Amino acid sequence: MTVDAPPEPNILAEEIAAGITVVWLNRPAQLNALSSTLMAELSDALRTVGRDSRAVVLSGRGRAFCAGGDLKELYPLLSEADVDVRRLQMRAFQEVVTAIRSVPCPVVAAVNGVCAGAGISLALASDVVLAGADVQFHPTFTRAGLLPDLGSLHLWTQAVGPRRAKEMAFLPEPIGAEDARAAGMVNRVVAPGQAVEAAVELAHRLAAGPRAALQMIKDIINREDQAELDASMVLESYAQAAAFSTGEVDEGVAAFLDGRAPRFGTTETEGTP
């Protein structure tokens, strides 16, 4: 009789030195896509490690930081619910952004490989963002007929300004690491494969700083836009819940799962000169 090995945890928290914790998204086979369980566990982990840490590094195991929402799980969960349940579920998912911003010490996002969809929100909710030179950011929401969520529209606008944020949302084209840095999404670009190492080095410097002062700096700067972020996420929850009733999400998700371009049915390009 064989005994199945226990499943791997979705989140790993590793204290690598006194006061320094690396929090890993741990679904490498799924490119660390955000399931409902992972988001809840990440929120809990950040609140736990934040009590004693002086600096936190957030990264993803394997070849991706985060591929965005796990549509294989989230689409059935949301599409089969009524609009009010969808809205409440979206509000629950948004807690992960609040948890990152509420950690009472600096959070450094170490972005490796792919960073797509709501994964961009996890990075931009962090206090400092480091990315490998080979990183690609993919703002992919509208390809699935969805609007950007997990506070994306607010976080993107804060990082790059309203015109660039609209372009990212309207035309979900990949953004390389250097372009992301120039736009204001990334603080530093490091050698490919070195994001975690560089983030840990920075975490050591932050942990050696004045803990109370750093916490107050973070709190004051975040408080400047917290009300706007909260209001944006409330609107986002209503809008995303409604999006699932348009029929476009059905086509967008089907196209994603089929590995093809979505056919939203409003533009015919064949034969266009």
Side-chain angles (χ1 to χ4, degrees):
M1 176 179 176
T2 60
V3 178
D4 292 336
E8 282 283 314
N10 291 297
I11 300 296
L12 296 173
E14 178 184 7
E15 186 176 20
I16 60 170
I20 300 174
T21 304
V22 180
V23 176
W24 299 95
L25 280 63
N26 188 43
R27 301 182 75 209
Q30 294 79 29
L31 301 181
N32 298 314
L34 300 174
S35 65
S36 56
T37 302
L38 183 149
M39 286 186 275
E41 291 180 3
L42 178 56
S43 297
D44 290 342
L46 290 167
R47 293 189 175 103
T48 298
V49 303
R51 297 181 193 133
D52 301 313
S53 297
R54 298 178 68 94
V56 171
V57 173
L58 177 64
S59 195
R61 289 284 194 194
R63 57 192 181 91
F65 177 76
C66 175
D70 185 349
L71 292 179
K72 290 182 179 180
E73 184 223 12
L74 299 181
Y75 172 71
L77 178 67
L78 294 171
S79 64
E80 295 169 10
D82 65 39
V83 67
D84 287 330
V85 172
R86 291 177 199 156
R87 181 180 61 81
L88 293 174
Q89 191 68 71
M90 288 304 307
R91 292 294 286 156
F93 297 160
Q94 291 164 350
E95 281 298 310
V96 71
V97 171
T98 302
I100 294 170
R101 287 170 59 100
S102 299
V103 174
C105 68
V107 177
V108 182
V111 182
N112 52 299
V114 175
C115 183
I120 301 174
S121 292
L122 301 189
L124 296 187
S126 304
D127 302 303
V128 182
V129 183
L130 274 58
D134 58 340
V135 164
Q136 292 276 308
F137 294 88
H138 296 268
T140 52
F141 293 95
T142 53
R143 287 181 182 166
L146 297 164
L147 65 142
D149 55 24
L150 292 197
S152 290
L153 290 177
H154 177 83
L155 293 168
W156 295 0
T157 302
Q158 286 293 100
V160 305
R163 294 191 184 279
R164 185 71 176 99
K166 289 176 185 176
E167 183 181 18
M168 288 171 61
F170 292 162
L171 301 170
E173 299 168 346
I175 303 166
E178 284 292 354
D179 287 341
R181 185 195 61 76
M185 296 168 62
V186 169
N187 294 84
R188 304 178 188 179
V189 175
V190 300
Q194 297 300 305
V196 173
E197 181 178 334
V200 168
E201 180 181 345
L202 177 58
H204 277 280
R205 292 178 57 194
L206 292 166
R211 184 176 190 175
L214 296 188
Q215 179 179 344
M216 288 186 282
I217 290 167
K218 174 173 178 170
D219 288 346
I220 291 168
I221 292 176
N222 281 353
R223 191 171 298 278
E224 289 294 318
D225 74 331
Q226 188 62 46
E228 293 180 11
L229 174 59
D230 290 342
S232 179
M233 290 198 295
V234 169
L235 291 173
E236 172 192 289
S237 68
Y238 281 97
Q240 197 72 294
F244 275 85
S245 300
T246 65
E248 292 182 325
V249 176
D250 298 332
E251 165 57 17
V253 173
F256 171 80
L257 296 177
D258 292 344
R260 59 174 174 82
R263 297 185 288 268
F264 292 123
T266 57
T267 303
E268 181 60 60
T269 58
E270 291 185 9
T272 303

